[in-house]
Amino acid sequence: MGLAGERTVKRLRLSKALTVPESTSIYDACRRMAARRVDALLLTDSNALLCGILTDKDITTRVIASEVNIQETPVSKVMTKHPVFVLSDTLAVEALQKMVLGKFRHLPVVENGEVIALLDIAKCLYDAIARLERATEKGKAIVASVEGVEKNWGASVSGSDSFIETLRERMFRPSLSTIISENPKTVTVEPNDTVLDAAKKMLESQTSSAIVAVDKKPQGILTSKDILMRVIAQDLSPESIIVERVMTPNPECATTDTPIVDALHTMHDGKFLHLPVIDRDGIVVAVVDVLHITHAAVAMVGNTSGVNNEVANTRMQKFWDSAMELSPDDDEDTRSIASLKLASEGVELRRSISYPSSSLPNTFAFKIQDRMGRMHRFNCNIRSMTDVITAIIQRVGDDINRKNLPQILYEDEDHDKVVLATESDLTAAVDHARSAGWKGLRLHLDYSGKRGHRKGSSSNSLDYAHTESAWASAYSAVAAGAALVAGLGVIAFLRRSSN
């Protein structure tokens, strides 16, 4: 895998770049972006060399709000010219630092003079934080094992421990209230306002979203990506179409007390880039976007009062190095705890917390609330109840009494609680959710001891025996995973010590 700091841009999560000639009309460029469902487009000159970048925010503020003729105007007139780029063999840390310092989200990647990919810092940060969270969650087992090593070998890991603990304090604990300014730029529109009116307000405030509010409470959100996908790509007129018709209704919101990392998880899971923040009365006080959160999280790694920029940059580099070193290649992220494998050099427990894409045919999104009221989201294999239960244990295991195992229920369109007892129940529930256009299923744990109803068949004692077996398998998988990680932690520690 390479030592910390030696990982190149090739090893980060890259998106295939969409490129078009700079002479392309804005309309055609927008249609291409909508077809690929991307929010950034790279432009090339007559020599096929990178010469510009166009984002959905540019389209809203430089095109729609400025009432530019999209049919006749070439992209070259509104693009950001000569964007910063990196080579594919650039050190990942250098590329990420460049994005942080430049305060931009997308970074083109060039190889042999040709644009090959687009780097998204928000995705990279999410990957890094997810790895650190996995390390933290398994930290107790690792530390316990390493303490035994220290007694026998006289070694110390206080430096590494303190660094991870520092990251945890600085990144996992602070809430959104720490990054919201006293006068946040929040654009508010009414449902009957036109998209053009909303775009002009977004241009004036230099934001990429507008809250659709009634009595100061959010009824929807309109983003620059919505304008691209739902207005321009659908050949609708921004001057006449009202916001209510193209907004995202009932957006998921955070509160000022929501931890920054939880907000990043929420946005990643929901695949959206803007998150309204409400107070206790449900009134919007701010909107944070993924770039805002990304830079805030990274800043918390490097910034400490009284330190100079060099020290801050060193800490930031150490964060990226450590985060990247914690896991092997990203293509193994869909591995569940029940199917552990050993990689050639770097070996790490892979959990379903790595959030594989819900577009995969055999995975789907689920969410479940713990007894503290916190919502946990995960993607999971829809063909295995054991995998689903394993994911539940990993998130709300402290709430579960192993002597009184709960039934797993899901909520249908009538808000009825329907039992998930077998793989066939699980598959049927997901098929139903997909046909209804749902993004995920909400799960509940029932401790009443009463057998809930099932769709399509009557209750069968064999089904509940099957569920108990799945619980047993899941607990065994979790225990095996923790033991493996503890052992690997010791091995990794000994390797580092010997080096």
Side-chain angles (χ1 to χ4, degrees):
M1 186 175 70
L3 299 175
E6 292 184 355
R7 179 181 288 240
T8 64
V9 169
K10 286 182 181 179
R11 302 291 296 278
L12 298 178
R13 187 193 296 197
L14 300 176
S15 301
K16 186 176 180 180
L18 176 60
T19 61
V20 299
E22 62 177 337
S23 58
T24 305
S25 71
I26 296 174
Y27 176 77
D28 288 340
C30 290
R31 298 280 291 185
R32 293 282 299 276
M33 292 172 71
R36 281 274 300 272
R37 302 199 66 78
V38 297
D39 50 19
L41 176 77
L42 300 180
L43 294 312
T44 56
D45 60 19
S46 57
N47 297 316
L49 298 177
L50 177 68
C51 66
I53 186 171
L54 183 75
T55 68
D56 56 349
K57 184 178 180 181
D58 296 331
I59 293 168
T60 294
T61 57
R62 299 179 186 177
V63 178
I64 301 302
S66 301
E67 301 186 63
V68 172
N69 186 319
I70 64 174
Q71 299 280 359
E72 300 178 2
T73 308
V75 179
S76 59
K77 297 293 185 181
V78 295
M79 70 184 184
T80 298
K81 297 181 179 179
H82 310 302
V84 176
F85 66 90
V86 293
L87 302 177
S88 59
D89 57 358
T90 300
L91 291 182
V93 168
E94 292 180 13
L96 294 166
Q97 284 183 324
K98 188 172 291 189
M99 298 174 79
V100 170
L101 297 176
K103 295 185 177 180
F104 45 81
R105 181 180 149 210
H106 299 101
L107 186 66
V109 180
V110 175
E111 186 174 84
N112 298 324
E114 180 183 351
V115 177
I116 62 167
L118 198 61
L119 186 62
D120 185 332
I121 193 174
K123 292 180 180 178
C124 294
L125 176 69
Y126 180 84
D127 289 346
I129 289 177
R131 291 170 187 152
L132 289 173
E133 286 179 322
R134 287 195 290 268
T136 301
E137 289 172 358
K138 300 302 180 184
K140 291 182 180 180
I142 294 175
V143 169
S145 299
V146 171
E147 284 177 350
V149 174
E150 287 178 336
K151 292 178 182 178
N152 294 321
W153 293 74
S156 173
V157 291
S158 58
S160 175
D161 270 357
S162 63
F163 177 67
I164 293 295
E165 196 57 36
T166 299
L167 286 177
R168 186 176 183 180
E169 289 297 322
R170 291 185 185 175
M171 296 185 70
F172 297 179
R173 302 291 170 82
S175 66
L176 291 177
S177 62
T178 63
I179 66 171
I180 296 175
S181 63
E182 292 184 4
N183 298 303
K185 295 180 179 179
T186 305
V187 174
T188 303
V189 297
E190 296 182 357
N192 290 326
D193 286 343
T194 67
V195 170
L196 177 60
D197 291 335
K200 288 182 178 294
K201 288 186 177 182
M202 291 159 71
L203 170 61
E204 183 179 349
S205 297
Q206 284 299 304
T207 61
S208 53
S209 66
I211 294 296
V212 186
V214 175
D215 296 330
K216 297 183 179 181
K217 295 186 178 181
Q219 304 297 309
I221 185 171
L222 180 73
T223 70
S224 53
K225 191 169 184 178
D226 294 331
I227 293 176
L228 168 65
M229 301 291 183
R230 301 174 184 174
V231 180
I232 299 178
Q234 300 300 320
D235 290 327
L236 300 178
S237 171
E239 297 89 349
S240 57
I241 193 73
I242 62 173
V243 168
E244 189 175 33
R245 285 191 54 191
V246 293
M247 71 180 186
T248 298
N250 305 315
E252 188 157 356
C253 299
T255 68
T256 53
D257 296 328
T258 299
I260 292 173
V261 169
D262 285 1
L264 185 66
H265 277 306
T266 297
M267 298 169 82
H268 181 272
D269 300 347
K271 300 189 187 323
F272 45 80
L273 305 176
H274 301 81
L275 186 64
V277 182
I278 58 176
D279 61 17
R280 294 182 178 179
D281 297 322
I283 296 174
V284 175
V285 296
V287 177
V288 293
D289 62 36
V290 71
L291 187 59
H292 187 188
I293 289 182
T294 298
H295 287 292
V298 172
M300 287 179 178
V301 176
N303 291 344
T304 303
S305 57
V307 303
N308 57 37
N309 289 337
E310 184 177 350
V311 173
N313 287 339
T314 299
R315 286 178 177 165
M316 188 171 70
Q317 179 166 339
K318 189 177 181 183
F319 159 65
W320 288 118
D321 283 351
S322 298
M324 292 172 193
E325 190 182 28
L326 286 173
S327 355
D329 295 338
D330 289 333
D331 59 4
E332 296 181 43
D333 276 349
T334 56
R335 186 182 306 173
S336 73
I337 199 170
S339 58
L340 298 172
K341 296 180 181 178
L342 299 182
S344 58
E345 187 66 27
V347 187
E348 191 207 6
L349 173 65
R350 288 297 177 170
R351 296 176 30 191
S352 56
I353 196 173
S354 52
Y355 303 98
S357 169
S358 59
S359 63
L360 296 176
N362 294 330
T363 64
F364 199 65
F366 300 87
K367 61 182 179 179
I368 190 167
Q369 189 172 24
D370 63 24
R371 289 184 175 177
M372 298 292 291
R374 297 169 299 192
M375 193 65 70
H376 301 261
R377 295 172 178 79
F378 58 94
N379 285 60
C380 204
N381 182 359
I382 64 171
R383 295 181 177 179
S384 171
M385 279 299 297
T386 298
D387 282 3
V388 173
I389 295 173
T390 299
I392 292 172
I393 294 172
Q394 290 163 351
R395 287 155 181 80
V396 298
D398 292 342
D399 295 348
I400 299 172
N401 180 357
R402 293 186 63 173
K403 296 182 180 179
N404 179 30
L405 294 175
Q407 282 186 345
I408 302 173
L409 314 175
Y410 75 91
E411 193 170 315
D412 67 8
E413 69 276 16
D414 299 320
H415 302 293
D416 290 330
K417 304 297 191 301
V418 185
V419 171
L420 286 181
T422 67
E423 274 76 11
S424 59
D425 289 344
L426 179 61
T427 302
V430 172
D431 287 344
H432 177 77
R434 283 175 171 164
S435 64
W438 297 352
K439 294 182 179 179
L441 279 173
R442 181 165 183 173
L443 303 181
H444 300 269
L445 299 180
D446 177 30
Y447 295 89
S448 67
K450 298 178 181 179
R451 295 185 176 182
H453 78 278
R454 298 174 58 207
K455 283 192 172 182
S457 65
S458 60
S459 297
N460 189 314
S461 59
L462 291 177
D463 294 336
Y464 296 94
H466 176 94
T467 305
E468 290 182 4
S469 175
W471 277 99
S473 298
Y475 273 112
S476 297
V478 171
L484 176 60
V485 170
L488 296 176
V490 174
I491 294 171
F493 166 72
L494 291 175
R495 284 180 176 175
R496 287 194 297 269
S497 299
S498 63
N499 289 336

